[in-house]
Amino acid sequence: MPVRIPYQPLSMRSGELEATRVSADQRTVRGVLARYAEFLPISDATPALSLAEGDTPLLPAPRLAQWVGVDDLHLKYEGANPTGSFKDRGMVVAVAKAIEAGSTTIICASTGNTSASAAAYAARAGIKAVVLLPAGKVARGKLAQAVVAGATVVTLDGNFDQALAVARDLARDYRVALVNSVNPHRIAGQTTAAFEVCDVLGDAPEVVALPVGNGGNVTAYSEGFRIYKAASRSTRMPLFIGAQAAGAAPLVHGAPVEHPETVATAIRIGNPASWTSAVNAVRSSGGEFSAVTDDAILQAYHAVAELEGVFCEPASAAGIAALRIAVRAGRVASQTQAVCVLTGNGLKDPDRAMPESFSAMALSPDAAALADRLALAPRS
Ligand code: AN7
């Protein structure tokens, strides 16, 4: 049975805009499908789905640059996407293409962010989402997002890798579309982040550091920079630093990890689905995979918040930690122009930000008493 969706194909949309003389205001055509249509696998038959994903800030980070040890550091703040992570870029393409192909239900396994994104885009498009989560290992904010968007939330007694195996089996044998990053439409959508970085900087940066779980995102960045270079929109390929948590670092060890463990639950993945393409992306760039301890991850997590006012989730900070280690070891020169990709918003996992020992200064509402305790200087 055909699905009824409230979206016109993209081509009709732009025709309508012209016909009604609506100004070509970016606000009416936001989202990666509209913005980067020429580089995406979409056609007139693809529904113009959007939550206005993409176009995220590329923030200069001079204070964090000093802490990391490089001259020029920018943060690609993917936490500004509609569901708070980079997954939205690929999910909008995957869901639009699934609908185009006649699907009415999507499925994914997830450490959290993919499920939040899948749930939101399914809701937006009026189709069903089923999300398979490793029990007890998903940050509460992410779980809340899947629940509030009306996804069918299933927890499995197992880790992400086992959940993904089940999702793949279901998508192979039943009428349900898989929207994990093994779906090439996910990767295609995520290439747009690399386009944006080039569009803002005027070229590709020298170094890109980012967290790696399944390896989908590093694959997409590599592909995106390659596409832009081939289209003469940039002139070089960056060197990639792929950060893995020390307790979940299969790409560093060169072998799957049976029981991955890390505070950065987003990248608690032992057998990356995009293993080969991730290795090719990093190796061909002259870069490296790096294992960073949970302590180093949390140190970087606090540093980016305290030095730049940017709140990311722990996994996202792994890229910063790995870049700092590479600079200190002399493998990346300090005169480098680097971009750290902050893949997810810190609000997803607020418990992590609050030390158990934290207690606010509790005072009575009395200005003079507060001024005294805060050691404020009087105005005159
Ligand atoms: C914040 O949501 O795998 O290397 O199921 O949420 O492309 O897997 C999340 C991955 C980095 C790793 N940063 O990206 C999921 C999931 C954050 C993430 C990654 C994830 P990939």
Side-chain angles (χ1 to χ4, degrees):
M1 198 182 73
V3 212
R4 290 187 46 197
I5 42 154
Y7 298 98
Q8 304 283 333
L10 278 170
S11 60
M12 285 178 63
R13 265 267 180 110
S14 50
E16 255 172 38
L17 289 181
E18 268 173 34
T20 55
R21 295 206 171 270
V22 175
S23 71
D25 186 334
Q26 277 300 309
R27 281 174 299 183
T28 61
V29 290
R30 280 171 67 193
V32 302
L33 295 187
R35 192 150 180 242
Y36 290 111
E38 65 186 295
F39 295 111
L40 296 174
I42 56 178
S43 70
D44 289 356
T46 310
L49 186 61
S50 167
L51 282 170
E53 61 290 325
D55 201 12
T56 57
L58 187 68
L59 301 166
R63 303 185 71 214
L64 189 70
Q66 271 190 359
W67 186 80
V68 167
V70 292
D71 289 351
D72 184 346
L73 179 65
H74 285 76
L75 305 172
K76 183 60 173 160
Y77 189 51
E78 291 290 275
N81 275 299
T83 78
S85 87
F86 71 98
K87 305 285 183 182
D88 295 342
R89 296 176 182 279
M91 196 58 69
V92 69
V93 180
V95 173
K97 294 300 285 187
I99 290 167
E100 184 181 337
S103 294
T104 56
T105 306
I106 59 171
I107 192 167
C108 66
S110 181
T111 58
N113 281 325
T114 299
S115 65
S117 188
Y121 283 90
R124 181 77 162 160
I127 63 170
K128 293 198 186 100
V130 178
V131 303
L132 309 181
L133 309 176
K137 297 294 181 182
V138 172
R140 277 189 79 72
K142 302 174 187 179
L143 189 59
Q145 289 179 287
V147 171
V148 80
T152 301
V153 177
V154 181
T155 60
L156 299 180
D157 179 19
N159 60 31
F160 168 85
D161 305 291
Q162 293 163 308
L164 180 59
V166 173
R168 294 176 95 147
D169 285 350
L170 288 171
R172 187 192 56 221
D173 298 338
Y174 300 88
R175 295 168 70 90
V176 56
L178 185 65
V179 295
N180 279 102
S181 58
V182 293
N183 178 333
H185 298 129
R186 278 278 313 279
I187 304 293
Q190 287 172 209
T191 60
T192 60
F195 303 161
E196 289 177 13
V197 169
C198 294
D199 287 344
V200 172
L201 294 179
D203 203 344
E206 289 172 279
V207 173
V208 171
L210 77 175
V212 175
N214 269 306
N217 209 29
V218 71
T219 300
Y221 268 88
S222 176
E223 179 91 336
F225 286 119
R226 197 187 53 69
I227 290 169
Y228 244 38
K229 187 162 174 279
S232 301
R233 304 256 185 129
S234 61
T235 68
R236 61 188 179 190
M237 287 293 289
L239 176 149
F240 287 107
I241 296 190
Q244 297 216 283
L251 297 170
V252 178
H253 305 313
V257 173
E258 202 180 337
H259 300 293
E261 269 314 333
T262 169
V263 67
T265 52
I267 52 171
R268 186 175 171 271
I269 293 170
N271 192 10
S274 298
W275 185 300
T276 307
S277 58
V279 168
N280 288 343
V282 170
R283 292 274 159 75
S284 68
S285 80
E288 64 185 23
F289 289 105
S290 173
V292 286
T293 63
D294 280 0
D295 279 354
I297 288 173
L298 291 177
Q299 214 189 347
Y301 166 81
H302 288 289
V304 64
E306 288 171 19
L307 295 173
E308 301 292 354
V310 173
F311 192 21
C312 67
E313 65 173 281
S316 304
I320 299 170
L323 177 60
R324 186 168 187 246
I325 290 165
V327 172
R328 291 189 158 198
R331 294 193 300 276
V332 167
S334 59
Q335 296 83 4
T336 298
Q337 181 187 47
V339 169
C340 286
V341 182
L342 301 187
T343 45
N345 196 304
L347 291 170
K348 292 198 172 246
D349 196 0
D351 294 343
R352 183 51 54 196
M354 307 282 285
E356 266 169 44
S357 60
F358 176 81
S359 61
M361 222 190 267
L363 299 173
S364 52
D366 176 281
L370 258 73
D372 189 49
R373 281 295 298 276
L374 299 174
L376 299 177
R379 283 197 178 274
S380 57

